[in-house]
Amino acid sequence: MSALLDAALEAPALRWPNRFAALGPRYFTELPAQALPSPHWVARNDALAASLGWPGDWATRPDWRALEVFSGAATWPGMRPLASVYSGHQFGVWAGQLGDGRALLLGEVDSPIGPQEIQLKGSGLTPYSRMGDGRAVLRSSIREFLCSEAMHHLGIPTTRALAVVGSPLPVRRETIETGAVVTRVAPSFLRFGHFEHFTHTAQDLDALRALVDFAIDHHFPACRDDAQPVAAMLREVARRTAELMADWQAVGFCHGVMNTDNMSLLGLTIDYGPFGFLDGFEPMHICNHSDHQGRYAYARQPGVAWWNLQALATALLPLFGDEPEAASELALEAIEPYRATLPGALESRLRAKLGLASAQDGDPALADDLLRLAAAERTDYTILWRRLGTFSTAPGADNAALRDLFIDRAGFDAWAQRYAARLATESSIDAERAVRMNAVNPKFVLRNHLAETAIRAGDSGDFSEIERLLKVLQRPFDEQASAPRAYADFPPDWAQSIEVSCSS
Ligand code: AMP
Ligand code: MG
């Protein structure tokens, strides 16, 4: 009996296929984490743990030792910690070898939502840390935790976040802050930069081929049956990247550091650094304080994704045959689905945001002209779309709440007339349209100042705001009348002074 009990009390009986680790040492270095001293929970995502099939008390069960595991002090049987190597283009310039400089893949675990990789970020030095300290600060870990969950619940593909563990460990950035580890979860953390690495840095075409085969077999299995599986995978990556860009633009998300090493092969939002959601609509908004040229400004994101896809296609060129020109043509052709998908993907999202049930030629211009009005006055992007859902087509309706968002009332009135006429062509019913619009125009996004408020409380040891915010962000399209008013309101003046840079 006692033997049975002991067995039951051993660490979780999870299955760890660890398929990336099985690729062998060309792709990574195996090493343990450097544990955070005196760790404490900052945030936990029980909903994600539940979808992994873990018990409700996963974080507190003595036999699971979760605080130790997710601060880097212990591993569960079956885990195989490793840091992977990749390269990349940073700000348009070839940067050579990078790699998991502060991330550690603990392993890949089987789960009801498919095999998932579990990765620590901020867990100490690796062979790829270069000049860095291998750490992440509490501030940026809270931001990543909240935003990846916000994105997921907005329906936008993303890596997820399971937990944040804090520590008194001093970490030097512009000032001295404290260290933290955020645990991320995704089917794969493969980046464009992984492929660039084996072509340009390692110049190991066998390794490149094996990595592509791995990606196809495990993450794009449908491409295996294609006559040209590599081209088929690239086409799918291009298509997913287009959908992702359409998602980002539609919701007003600015990533901030779209280097090729921060582009997910699976089309997930990955590596949350100096990201931001637009407050006032400003197409050339730069959310990364270190991005002096505005390379990654909001409106430039779709163009940058195309540039990055070209870098990926270039990395895969050797797999398209020995004849350079023909290979180049085939590889570039394989990323064309990006350009074929993006305009339609953007258009359909804007149509949905406008509440249009049918497609007509003038729709893109209608959306564009609303955005032009908004850009002229930096109208709040999220509030504008949400309030548009209250638009009344009743004769004599003044739509005051919406109209008041604009100083240029005449400009808005002219647009509103066109909008009403367009709605009339499909006999749009206000109440029905409002329901549809509220399902695509979120009421709640992770505005910078909301994250900042949670961070400031967190810095003084109060993590309740993170929890409150997370709960609301998990239902971004619901009214949630009981949510704090500030969550859906205009940002306060001080929000403009928040600066977010790469050093996190
Ligand atoms: P990022 O711009 O944050 O995606 O990081 C670019 C590269 O720098 C990646 O190889 C990271 O692992 C590495 N890096 C960023 N911050 C640190 C750090 N504090 N310590 C070690 N490596 C880092
Ligand atoms: Mg990165």
Side-chain angles (χ1 to χ4, degrees):
M1 187 66 194
S2 75
L4 274 178
L5 263 181
D6 281 351
L9 280 174
E10 265 176 24
L14 302 169
R15 259 184 39 81
W16 298 85
N18 292 332
R19 295 173 302 178
F20 184 79
L23 270 171
R26 285 182 295 191
Y27 302 90
F28 52 78
T29 304
E30 296 194 66
L31 78 167
Q34 293 174 323
L36 278 181
S38 312
H40 58 263
W41 291 112
V42 170
R44 294 194 301 249
N45 186 351
D46 290 335
L48 176 56
S51 40
L52 293 173
W54 298 0
D57 59 350
W58 68 278
T60 49
R61 292 170 71 109
D63 52 332
W64 278 47
R65 298 185 301 153
L67 185 57
E68 284 171 71
V69 171
F70 297 109
S71 62
T75 52
W76 289 333
M79 283 179 166
R80 216 179 133 182
L82 61 86
S84 79
V85 63
Y86 54 82
S87 293
H89 284 85
Q90 298 185 315
F91 291 89
V93 177
W94 177 244
Q97 179 177 307
L98 303 165
D100 293 328
R102 54 172 168 169
L104 200 68
L105 179 63
L106 289 178
E108 182 198 41
V109 70
D110 264 343
S111 87
I113 51 170
Q116 298 289 318
E117 292 188 345
I118 300 188
Q119 189 191 66
L120 303 181
K121 178 173 174 181
S123 51
L125 292 171
T126 78
Y128 316 111
S129 299
R130 297 177 297 150
M131 310 296 284
D133 55 8
R135 294 298 179 188
V137 294
L138 180 62
R139 159 178 61 93
S140 62
S141 305
I142 293 173
R143 279 169 53 85
E144 171 143 13
F145 177 84
L146 286 173
C147 196
S148 47
E149 286 312 291
M151 293 292 265
H152 173 74
H153 292 281
L154 285 163
I156 301 177
T158 177
T159 63
R160 306 280 309 268
L162 180 68
V164 177
V165 173
S167 162
L169 179 77
V171 173
R172 180 180 288 279
R173 293 295 179 259
E174 279 92 357
T175 60
I176 303 283
E177 304 186 40
T178 59
V181 167
V182 54
T183 299
R184 314 194 285 192
V185 175
S188 168
F189 287 91
L190 278 178
R191 303 146 189 274
F192 289 10
H194 278 104
F195 301 88
E196 292 180 285
H197 179 77
F198 291 100
T199 304
H200 305 310
T201 308
Q203 302 188 355
D204 181 344
L205 295 188
D206 277 346
L208 175 71
R209 199 166 289 118
L211 186 62
V212 170
D213 278 338
F214 170 86
I216 293 172
D217 289 342
H218 298 310
H219 302 295
F220 299 90
C223 299
R224 187 46 81 200
D225 302 328
D226 196 279
Q228 292 173 305
V230 183
M233 181 189 84
L234 254 187
R235 285 196 295 272
E236 178 60 13
V237 174
R239 197 194 57 74
R240 288 193 199 182
T241 305
E243 295 289 345
L244 183 67
M245 290 307 111
D247 281 337
W248 286 4
Q249 300 309 103
V251 81
F253 175 78
C254 199
H255 181 281
V257 204
M258 287 178 68
N259 294 333
T260 55
D261 53 300
N262 290 339
M263 294 291 290
S264 149
L265 189 73
L266 304 195
L268 310 172
T269 312
I270 193 172
D271 278 14
Y272 291 85
F275 68 84
F277 285 86
L278 297 178
D279 288 324
F281 183 61
E282 198 189 338
M284 288 313 286
H285 176 69
I286 302 164
C287 64
N288 179 355
H289 191 60
S290 328
D291 181 8
H292 306 296
Q293 314 290 323
R295 178 180 173 87
Y296 299 139
Y298 164 77
R300 290 195 170 136
Q301 298 186 126
V304 172
W306 173 241
W307 193 97
N308 290 342
L309 280 166
Q310 288 175 300
L312 177 62
T314 305
L316 298 188
L317 268 187
L319 307 185
F320 281 85
D322 296 334
E323 214 283 290
E325 251 173 55
S328 163
E329 201 169 301
L330 287 173
L332 290 178
E333 201 178 282
I335 54 171
E336 274 305 320
Y338 181 80
R339 294 204 288 195
T341 306
L342 182 69
L346 272 170
E347 263 177 52
S348 69
R349 278 167 188 72
L350 284 170
R351 263 199 196 96
K353 289 177 85 63
L354 287 167
L356 302 177
S358 60
Q360 291 180 20
D361 286 349
D363 297 344
L366 188 68
D368 233 47
D369 291 342
L370 178 64
L371 290 174
R372 228 183 289 277
L373 279 174
E377 304 184 8
R378 297 198 185 173
T379 312
D380 191 274
Y381 187 76
T382 305
I383 292 177
L384 170 60
W385 287 111
R386 188 73 179 187
R387 281 203 196 165
L388 193 63
T390 66
F391 189 84
S392 166
T393 54
D398 62 2
N399 287 304
L402 179 62
R403 189 172 185 259
D404 286 351
L405 290 175
F406 295 92
I407 302 163
D408 178 6
R409 298 282 158 84
F412 172 75
D413 289 344
W415 184 87
Q417 251 183 23
R418 282 167 61 202
Y419 183 48
R422 170 64 182 85
L423 294 174
T425 65
E426 58 182 46
S427 310
S428 189
I429 296 165
D430 290 352
E432 287 177 12
R433 187 178 64 252
V435 171
R436 283 202 311 274
M437 291 172 78
N438 284 348
V440 293
N441 295 323
K443 180 172 177 182
F444 303 99
V445 295
L446 182 64
R447 294 178 188 266
N448 254 340
H449 77 94
L450 297 177
E452 187 65 24
T453 302
I455 289 164
R456 287 182 190 174
D459 277 336
S460 50
D462 173 5
F463 308 125
S464 61
E465 180 61 13
I466 302 172
E467 207 178 317
R468 228 175 353 258
L469 200 46
L470 176 66
K471 278 221 168 64
V472 172
L473 293 170
Q474 284 171 334
R475 292 162 53 211
F477 301 106
D478 293 355
E479 276 304 315
Q480 303 192 58
S482 59
R485 241 192 82 131
Y487 287 7
D489 212 342
F490 297 96
D493 289 339
W494 64 264
Q496 289 194 9
S497 63
I498 302 170
E499 284 180 357
V500 195
S501 71
C502 273
S503 78
S504 55

